[in-house]
Amino acid sequence: MVRDGRILSNVVSSQVKLHADYGGVVPELATREHLKNLLPVTRAALREADVTVPQLEAIAATQGPGLPSALMAGFKAAQSMAFALRKPCVGIHHHEAHLYSPWITGDPSAAIFEVFEPNVSLIVSGGHTLLVHVTAELDHRTLGSTLDDAAGECFDKTAKLIGLPYPGGPEIDRLAEQGNPMAFDFPRPLLHQPNDDFSFSGLKTAVRYFLEKHPVRPDDPQRLRDLCASVQAAIVEVLVAKTVRAARRLGLGCVTASGGVTCNRALRRDLATACQGHGLKLRLAQPRLCTDNAAMIGILAERKLRRGLPAQPLDAEVEPGGALA
Ligand code: KG4
Ligand code: ZN
């Protein structure tokens, strides 16, 4: 629930535990869970925000991209609510919501966008790795994206190879904290290529070959920590270097980052150091707004309505494959 650029409530129903047994998201299970949780989560959001149904001005939901059946559960429910309440329904692009999430301050007196400035934005999560040039508020163009695996996918898949539980990103982050990032030398894909794209599947393969030669030994926990720190360092170095390089090339003074992988402490630290070194301002999404959440969807929807952008017709379809502009 949001009002005037501020979060009144942000209820997140995580399915991480449900999917952990399968080592990844099972689409059928995800959709069933969405259907089961939709109304309880909506009621909890209203209750926490102390808002009643008649007070609602509009309903927003993610329109895409993502798993078609899971998107449909949320978007069709939002359209039904909007129809019943005779309110507009705003379909939001998932990546665009991440893109503007670093501007949500958490300070109740400072509404989003009051302090906006042009920036290069890194969006890193389980399904996407994007570098975006945000020229003005609600005006952006994608500079590059991953050619294969997303950064979060690389964290999760390498963690699985190492034998860590799903989702692997937070596990690698935790173990890497006491590891030596220079212990093992993994590739930094596309680091020196003159483009803004990323590629992480080769790094995952390098870890697999490494483990074939040097299996993880339960009696050597420090080696496991060193391995996690070294994998993490390879991912983070590429993300930081290419983001900062794009900002400098475009003559911008500000960098932002969002998406689940932006919870990663090494990424937050190294981005801060690199930006400071180059005189760039840095805005990182708050950790609770990095992983998927409804607040970032609502904030962007409200902003679009306030700027006079139209809501979607109530029979609009989900857009599972829709790329960011
Ligand atoms: O944005 P998000 O919640 O969902 C998608 O839209 O994909 O991101 C989830 C991803 C997962 O791959 C997870 O492993 C990763 O974010 N992640 C992390 C950390 N916390 C979450 N990766 C590295 N370090 C973390 N601390
Ligand atoms: Zn996401």
Side-chain angles (χ1 to χ4, degrees), residues 210-265:
F210 175 88
L211 287 167
E212 275 168 17
K213 276 199 212 141
H214 318 278
V216 170
R217 293 204 334 244
D219 61 337
D220 195 349
Q222 188 52 42
R223 206 165 146 276
L224 175 64
R225 292 185 203 113
D226 290 347
L227 178 59
C228 288
S230 302
V231 170
Q232 179 175 272
I235 301 173
V236 167
E237 184 180 337
V238 178
L239 294 175
V240 171
K242 295 200 90 163
T243 305
V244 168
R245 195 180 70 190
R248 298 188 70 212
R249 188 186 72 233
L250 293 164
L252 296 165
C254 182
V255 163
T256 73
S258 62
V261 178
T262 304
C263 289
N264 184 270
R265 288 171 292 177

Side-chain angles (χ1 to χ4, degrees), residues 267-287:
L267 177 62
R268 296 180 86 84
R269 234 174 8 232
D270 291 1
L271 263 178
T273 308
C275 285
Q276 202 176 22
H278 291 288
L280 294 163
K281 282 186 212 159
L282 175 65
R283 286 189 83 98
L284 298 167
Q286 298 169 38

Side-chain angles (χ1 to χ4, degrees), residues 13-325:
S13 164
S14 171
Q15 296 189 13
V16 163
K17 284 204 186 86
L18 179 75
H19 298 287
D21 287 347
Y22 303 92
V25 173
V26 184
E28 176 66 25
L29 279 184
T31 307
R32 259 191 270 164
E33 279 298 296
H34 279 330
L35 288 172
K36 205 163 80 188
N37 292 326
L38 257 162
L39 287 179
V41 165
T42 308
R43 286 199 188 99
L46 283 162
R47 202 170 43 239
E48 271 183 36
D50 201 16
V51 168
T52 60
V53 170
Q55 289 175 311
L56 293 176
E57 210 179 294
I59 316 279
T62 304
Q63 192 168 6
L67 288 172
S69 54
L71 286 172
M72 229 179 293
F75 194 54
K76 292 293 152 188
Q79 286 174 326
S80 309
M81 288 181 205
F83 175 73
L85 299 172
R86 297 175 199 279
K87 303 287 178 193
C89 179
V90 187
I92 291 293
H93 192 289
H94 183 72
H95 302 168
E96 196 180 359
H98 275 305
L99 187 63
Y100 291 101
S101 64
W103 300 95
I104 307 174
T105 59
D107 169 2
S109 66
I112 184 175
F113 294 130
E114 273 169 13
V115 283
F116 179 83
E117 58 188 296
N119 61 83
V120 157
S121 189
L122 174 71
I123 309 177
V124 265
S125 79
H128 29 94
T129 301
L130 291 167
L131 211 48
V132 185
H133 180 190
V134 191
T135 43
E137 187 194 319
L138 305 185
D139 192 4
H140 45 260
R141 92 190 150 89
T142 300
L143 296 167
S145 61
T146 182
L147 304 177
D148 39 59
D149 291 354
E153 205 176 346
C154 184
F155 269 109
D156 295 343
K157 286 180 176 170
T158 51
K160 196 170 177 177
L161 291 172
I162 296 169
L164 302 173
Y166 171 88
E171 283 295 312
I172 292 192
D173 185 345
R174 188 177 62 79
L175 289 162
E177 208 54 13
Q178 285 162 24
N180 174 6
M182 290 187 298
F184 307 110
D185 189 20
F186 289 113
R188 269 71 170 154
L190 304 189
L191 178 60
H192 299 296
Q193 297 293 314
N195 58 35
D196 297 314
D197 291 326
F198 300 95
S199 162
F200 290 105
S201 73
L203 172 55
K204 174 192 64 191
T205 308
V207 174
R208 185 163 66 233
Y209 288 148
F210 175 88
L211 287 167
E212 275 168 17
K213 276 199 212 141
H214 318 278
V216 170
R217 293 204 334 244
D219 61 337
D220 195 349
Q222 188 52 42
R223 206 165 146 276
L224 175 64
R225 292 185 203 113
D226 290 347
L227 178 59
C228 288
S230 302
V231 170
Q232 179 175 272
I235 301 173
V236 167
E237 184 180 337
V238 178
L239 294 175
V240 171
K242 295 200 90 163
T243 305
V244 168
R245 195 180 70 190
R248 298 188 70 212
R249 188 186 72 233
L250 293 164
L252 296 165
C254 182
V255 163
T256 73
S258 62
V261 178
T262 304
C263 289
N264 184 270
R265 288 171 292 177
L267 177 62
R268 296 180 86 84
R269 234 174 8 232
D270 291 1
L271 263 178
T273 308
C275 285
Q276 202 176 22
H278 291 288
L280 294 163
K281 282 186 212 159
L282 175 65
R283 286 189 83 98
L284 298 167
Q286 298 169 38
R288 74 183 177 118
L289 298 176
C290 283
T291 42
D292 289 347
N293 64 87
M296 65 180 186
I297 307 290
I299 291 272
L300 183 58
E302 185 191 43
R303 194 67 187 175
K304 288 191 166 200
L305 285 177
R306 295 272 190 272
R307 293 201 122 214
L309 297 176
Q312 277 70 11
L314 288 183
D315 59 352
E317 294 299 339
V318 295
E319 291 172 4
L324 190 67

